[in-house]
Amino acid sequence: MDSILVTGNGPLNGDIPIAGAKNACLTLMPATLLSEDPLTLTNAPRLSDIKTMTALLQSLGAEVSSLNAGNVLAMSSHGLTTQRAEYDIVRKMRASILVLGPLLARFGYAEVSLPGGCAIGARPVDLHLKAMEAMGAEMDLRDGYVHAKAPAGGLKGGIVEFPFASVGATENALMAATLAKGTTEIRNAAREPEIVDLADCLRKMGAQIEGDGTSTITIQGVDRLGGATHRVVTDRIELGTYMLAPAFCGGEVTCLGGKISLLEAFCEKLDAAGISVEETDKGLKVARKNGRVQAVDVTTEPFPGFPTDLQAQMMALLCTAEGTSVLEEKIFENRFMHAPELVRMGAQIDVQGGTATVHGVERLKGAPVMATDLRASVSLILAGLAAEGETRVSRVYHLDRGYEHVEEKLSALGAKIERISGE
Ligand code: UD1
C-alpha cells in the first residue's frame, strides 16, 4: 500500500488547478442509463471512484470510453445487457446506489446490491427506496439486493417528501422522475451545487425540471431523453481543501476556477479565522492575514451550510489556532476518526459524541499517521505540511478516491511531498 511523506517546508505560493467535482461526476455518469443516446462529460476528474463507476456502468452493458487522459467520458447505454448491479462492484462505493433510479425509470425493473457499511457511519439507503415507492415502485429487499419494480406502464409522478435532505436520495429521485408519467414534486430536496449540475445536464437531455437549488424540485416526466454533452461543475471540496493550504503554511495561493458562491459558509469561517479570500477572474486568491489562525466554531450542515466534507481539513487547521474551537458534526455520526491521528501529531482534541473541542497548540509535530477515510487523509497531509519534521500518512488509497495528482499539485506550490509506493 502506498504512503505519502510530507515535510514542513514553509509558505506555499502559486496557482493550483481545481478539478471537476467527483460527487457531481458520480451522479452524472449514471444519468447515461436514462437514454439510448450518447452522453459525454467533460472536465471529469481522474479518480479511482470514477473508475469504479465506469466498471459498474460497463457491467450493465454500457459503453464508457475515457478520452483526453480521463478528462472526457464518452458514454452510451443503447445496448444494456442487464439491470442487475452486482455486489462485487457496488460494495466498493456507496454512490453505486445511484444506478437504481435511472434503471428503474427506463426499464421498469432494477436489482441493485445494497451498498456495504461505511467507515463514517451507518449511511442507510432507506430514503432512496422510499422515493422510488412514492413513484409507484414495489421494493423488495432479498439476498442483499434491492429488487425494484415499476407499475405496468412505468413509474408514476408523485410527491417525494424527505424527512431531511439527502444528496444521493434527491439525485436518485430526480433522475427517476424525469421519465415518470406526470409530475413529481421532491420536497425537502438537497440543494447542493452537484444537484443543480445534474439538473442542468438532464435538461440538456430533454428533461423538464424546475426548482433545483431550492428545497422543492418539480419534474414533469417526458417519454424519452436524448443525448448531451456536459461540463462537470468545479469540485468545491477539492477547492476548499486547497484553499486551506496557505492557511496552514502561509503564502498566497490562487485556486483556479474557484467561486465564493460554491463555499460561502466555509469562506465566512475562514474570514473569522484570519484567512483572506478574494475572488478574481482567475479564481479564489487565499492568504493568511496576519500571524496565527484564530479559533472558530464550526457546525456542519447541508448546503449552503458548512460542508461535512471539509470538517476534517478545518479541524486540522484549528489544531494550531489561537484559542479553543468547537466543531459539531451534524451529518454523519462517526466522522471524527482523524482526531486521534491529529492527536498523534501533538493536537489537543476532546471528542464527545458529535462534538469535538480543539484546544489550539503552537505547532504540530510530524508523526506516522493513518488515513481512515477520504477527507481525513487529506487533512493529515495538510497538517503534515505545516508540522515540524516528517509526517508519513499511510493507507492513502482513500486519498486517490477523491484527489487527483495531489503530490504534483502541492509540490508545484513549493510543498515537500512524495509518494512512497507499495509498502
Ligand atoms: C453525499 C456525498 C458525500 C457527502 C454527503 C453529505 C456523494 C457521492 N457523496 O453523500 O461526499 O459527505 O453527501 O454532504 O455525493 N441518510 C439516511 N438514509 C438514506 C440516505 C441518507 O438516513 O437513504 C442519511 C445519511 O446517513 C446521512 C444523511 O442522511 O446522515 C445525509 O447523507 P446524504 O446527503 O444522503 O449523503 P450521500 O448522498 O451518501
Side-chain angles (χ1 to χ4, degrees):
M1 261 185 271
D2 291 2
S3 56
I4 283 189
L5 191 64
V6 286
T7 313
N9 191 35
L12 302 178
N13 286 290
D15 294 349
I16 191 163
I18 305 298
K22 166 181 89 75
N23 287 350
C25 203
L26 287 176
T27 187
L28 290 162
M29 291 176 76
T32 186
L33 300 170
L34 288 163
S35 170
E36 53 187 10
D37 296 337
L39 175 62
T40 301
L41 299 176
T42 63
N43 198 34
R46 287 158 277 209
L47 302 168
S48 63
D49 270 8
I50 301 302
K51 290 198 178 125
T52 304
M53 185 57 86
T54 299
L56 176 58
L57 295 176
Q58 286 171 336
S59 78
L60 300 170
E63 288 165 22
V64 184
S65 314
S66 174
L67 311 170
N68 198 9
N71 199 240
V72 174
L73 295 170
M75 301 176 289
S76 169
S77 300
H78 71 275
L80 289 199
T81 48
T82 175
Q83 283 75 49
R84 182 175 161 96
E86 296 285 351
Y87 175 69
D88 273 354
I89 302 182
V90 172
R91 71 182 169 84
K92 293 188 188 159
M93 188 179 66
R94 201 184 131 75
S96 306
I97 192 73
L98 293 171
V99 302
L100 176 67
L103 285 175
L104 181 60
R106 179 157 154 222
F107 299 98
Y109 185 73
E111 282 176 34
V112 181
S113 168
L114 285 166
C118 170
I120 60 172
R123 303 185 85 178
V125 291
D126 54 322
L127 301 181
H128 298 249
L129 308 189
K130 288 210 173 85
M132 302 303 135
E133 276 171 349
M135 287 181 249
E138 271 174 38
M139 313 297 284
D140 187 14
L141 297 184
R142 259 185 291 130
D143 322 320
Y145 281 74
V146 180
H147 298 251
K149 199 164 176 284
L155 290 178
K156 293 195 176 96
I159 307 280
V160 177
E161 180 138 24
F162 290 123
F164 52 87
S166 155
V167 176
T170 301
E171 291 165 346
N172 236 335
L174 175 57
M175 286 190 279
T178 58
L179 291 179
K181 305 258 169 312
T183 307
T184 300
E185 194 171 286
I186 307 177
R187 297 181 183 164
N188 214 356
R191 293 180 280 164
E192 270 66 4
E194 293 75 26
I195 289 168
V196 176
D197 200 40
L198 172 64
D200 280 343
C201 176
L202 293 170
R203 274 190 287 264
K204 286 181 200 159
M205 294 167 72
Q208 292 190 18
I209 303 166
E210 281 174 13
D212 46 296
T214 76
S215 47
T216 306
I217 307 180
T218 309
I219 307 107
Q220 185 67 48
V222 295
D223 289 339
R224 70 177 295 278
L225 293 178
T229 296
H230 180 79
R231 183 183 161 85
V232 180
V233 68
T234 299
D235 194 318
R236 66 197 163 95
I237 306 301
E238 192 196 28
L239 171 66
T241 301
Y242 290 132
M243 284 170 74
L244 288 176
F248 273 87
C249 300
E252 187 181 277
V253 170
T254 297
C255 297
L256 301 174
K259 289 195 168 37
I260 289 179
S261 59
L262 290 170
L263 283 173
E264 261 171 49
F266 175 73
C267 290
E268 276 167 27
K269 290 296 173 189
L270 288 191
D271 184 54
I275 315 300
S276 75
V277 179
E278 188 193 331
E279 189 165 315
T280 70
D281 32 342
K282 273 190 355 186
L284 293 181
K285 191 158 87 180
V286 187
R288 197 154 72 195
K289 287 177 201 162
N290 286 306
R292 231 171 122 183
V293 168
Q294 299 299 304
V296 287
D297 295 341
V298 171
T299 302
T300 63
E301 285 169 347
F303 190 85
F306 191 101
T308 174
D309 287 350
L310 286 171
Q311 179 259 106
Q313 301 88 312
M314 192 71 181
M315 181 191 287
L317 177 72
L318 294 172
C319 287
T320 53
E322 192 165 3
T324 296
S325 311
V326 177
L327 289 98
E328 274 191 82
E329 174 55 58
K330 295 269 196 197
I331 309 291
F332 296 112
E333 71 267 32
N334 184 21
R335 206 175 194 180
F336 286 140
M337 284 163 314
H338 39 283
E341 300 302 312
L342 291 166
V343 168
R344 291 173 55 76
M345 298 175 72
Q348 290 187 12
I349 308 170
D350 299 322
V351 175
Q352 299 281 343
T355 304
T357 307
V358 181
H359 305 282
V361 297
E362 276 294 327
R363 199 166 179 200
L364 297 182
K365 287 208 167 67
V369 289
M370 203 161 71
T372 49
D373 68 49
L374 167 56
R375 307 303 170 185
S377 56
V378 83
S379 75
L380 297 170
I381 289 175
L382 289 172
L385 287 175
E388 193 184 321
E390 275 185 4
T391 298
R392 190 184 180 124
V393 185
S394 56
R395 299 210 177 160
V396 292
Y397 54 87
H398 291 294
L399 186 76
D400 299 328
R401 290 187 43 215
Y403 292 90
E404 60 172 44
H405 310 311
V406 187
E407 308 93 279
E408 288 87 333
K409 285 188 180 184
L410 286 169
S411 305
L413 301 178
K416 217 168 153 198
I417 173 166
E418 61 179 304
R419 183 176 291 247
I420 298 168
S421 39
E423 289 174 43

